[in-house]
Amino acid sequence: MNVRSIHVRLILWYTVLVIFTSVGFGAYTYQSLRQRLYDEMKETLTRRVEHVRDDVLTHITTYTPDALKREIQDVYSPEENDRFIRISNSDGSTLYVSGSPRDKNFDPSRIPLPKDYTAKVSERMEQLRSSEKLLLVGFITPLAGNNYVVEMGAPIDQIDSALRKLIITLLIGLPVIIIIAVAGGSLLIRRALHPVETIRATAEQITFSNLRQRLPVAATGDALEHLAKTLNQMLERLDLAYQQASRFSADASHELRTPLTIMRSELESIESTMHAGQLPLAIRERIGSVLEEAERLSGIVEGLFAIARLDAGEAKIGHEAFDLAALVRSTVEQMQLLAEEKRISILIDAPGPVFVAGDAARLKQVIVNLLDNAIKYTLAGGIITFSVFLEQAKAILRIKDNGIGIPSEELPHIFERFYRADKVRSRTTQGAGLGLSIVRAICQAHGGTAQVQSTEGTGTIVTIELPLADRNLQENFNAAA
Ligand code: ADP
């Protein structure tokens, strides 16, 4: 999983969390406010009912209906306050009922009497004509042989409108909060993951050819800094081990060169004596074959030595600017004979000079190895085409043949050392499987790449990409020319 998908996953989780929290908070706020408003209204109504019961009901027998009405009007003014007050008897007769409120929201005479007289304190909601409701609190008080019922009511439209306003505020506010939280969260997550992405991108670039590169260490003082430092220490150890292994290969192949050269010159001198006819034919043939093998071994050791030195970074790469197209032309000319022997034609498509900075001798080796392969693996009468051109500020060298091609399952391995695709078919051809390894090592030492595309039976294309010489180098070259 890459850093981008971690970022997306974290953001998705975070968004879900923010939405759940915000919606939960909104629902909780709505519910608790609703409860509180209702409780407060019930409390107020209950207090008033108690008040009427204590102040008025206890003297009910002393009031005439008019006096009762006046008393309640004076003390509670129910019509002005949008309140409903009713004093009734449990037999269903009404002693007092308040008048219509100012806004005529309800008609007190149509509010039904309580159905149940068993509970001392009751609470109910009456649906009015409109969509509004009236909250009623009633008390039943036994007095002088009667069961008096005092009811106090208030429309809940104010509560409803306060709750409606809260819902509107939540509907507008919550999405804004969610958007801000998610955007801020995304920014923070991106910032937090940025060092991880930098470490990943750098680590991806590190191969055996640039093992000296280190991961960036952001001085954050956290686990990421620690991780980058630990990985760098690991790279340090890997680099050291790799250098030791490369140096060992370089030293070993270097040590092998001298005895091999001596062996070859000894064999060559014996061979020259052979011409004088001093040795029997069978021995001469054997010496010839041993010399051939010694030369082959010598070639392998030279190849190994070159790769090991490039790997160990010991090989000095020149940095003169030169025209890659001209190098291709001169190398092809020198190898023309080899191609002619197989009646293979070589075409060069290089419309203009392409300047690269590097080691001409080593890049010539690249051309030699690639052309050698193309000739080896192309049947008689085939065509090999070299193209040299510029593409996206890079120098491109492409060599295409219409030879036997490489089976797709072999392609990933052909740059490996000593790898020879399809051993059976390769047996007839010379080569130790080091040619392409040398090509890649030289290209990497120049900061370039080597890639192969091939279709079995159709042909192979090898593409070399090299950095261009910078302007100064090109100008120096032009001035010198
Ligand atoms: P070798 O010395 O065997 O040529 P290389 O490293 O140059 O070693 O190549 C590795 C293998 O890749 C070869 O054995 C061969 O099978 C395959 N190969 C390389 N170039 C070509 C080509 N132009 N056409 C077909 N096969 C190729």
Side-chain angles (χ1 to χ4, degrees), residues 35-52:
Q35 193 63 45
R36 204 179 152 161
L37 290 174
Y38 274 104
D39 286 351
E40 270 176 12
M41 185 170 258
K42 273 181 216 161
E43 238 172 69
T44 316
L45 291 174
T46 309
R47 268 202 312 274
R48 291 274 160 82
V49 172
E50 281 171 349
H51 208 247
V52 172

Side-chain angles (χ1 to χ4, degrees), residues 373 376-377 401 405-406 414 419-421 425 431-433 435-436 460:
N373 276 349
K376 264 193 302 195
Y377 303 111
D401 63 56
I406 304 164
I414 55 165
Y419 190 87
R420 306 194 65 210
R425 71 177 185 160
L436 288 179
T460 304

Side-chain angles (χ1 to χ4, degrees), residues 51-97:
H51 208 247
V52 172
R53 184 192 59 191
D54 298 344
D55 279 9
V56 182
L57 203 63
T58 40
H59 314 293
I60 191 91
T61 46
T62 61
Y63 288 117
T64 61
D66 275 351
L68 179 64
K69 189 172 179 181
R70 252 196 325 275
E71 175 70 16
I72 292 178
Q73 287 302 123
D74 287 351
V75 182
Y76 304 103
S77 339
E79 291 82 7
E80 277 75 39
N81 293 323
D82 280 350
R83 290 284 184 272
F84 166 80
I85 300 180
R86 180 166 60 195
I87 301 174
S88 55
N89 222 315
S90 59
D91 61 12
S93 56
T94 303
L95 304 178
Y96 168 81
V97 64

Side-chain angles (χ1 to χ4, degrees), residues 99-158:
S100 291
R102 272 178 317 170
D103 55 11
K104 306 268 181 282
N105 255 350
F106 59 89
D107 179 0
S109 63
R110 298 179 77 119
I111 298 192
L113 286 161
K115 290 185 189 82
D116 180 15
Y117 287 96
T118 50
K120 279 194 91 180
V121 183
S122 68
E123 215 182 86
R124 68 185 202 275
M125 194 77 85
E126 286 292 347
Q127 178 76 47
L128 305 177
R129 278 165 297 152
S130 54
S131 59
E132 284 181 21
K133 289 174 183 163
L134 195 72
L135 178 68
L136 286 156
V137 174
F139 267 54
I140 297 176
T141 313
L143 197 79
N146 275 321
N147 264 341
Y148 290 99
V149 184
V150 180
E151 287 169 288
M152 181 82 71
I156 57 159
D157 59 338
Q158 277 174 3

Side-chain angles (χ1 to χ4, degrees), residues 6-34:
I6 294 177
H7 181 224
V8 171
R9 265 180 63 158
L10 281 177
I11 279 294
L12 280 178
W13 279 111
Y14 179 69
T15 309
V16 169
L17 199 72
V18 168
I19 290 176
F20 266 98
T21 322
S22 310
V23 171
F25 171 75
Y28 172 77
T29 311
Y30 175 84
Q31 190 50 38
S32 55
L33 182 72
R34 184 174 183 275

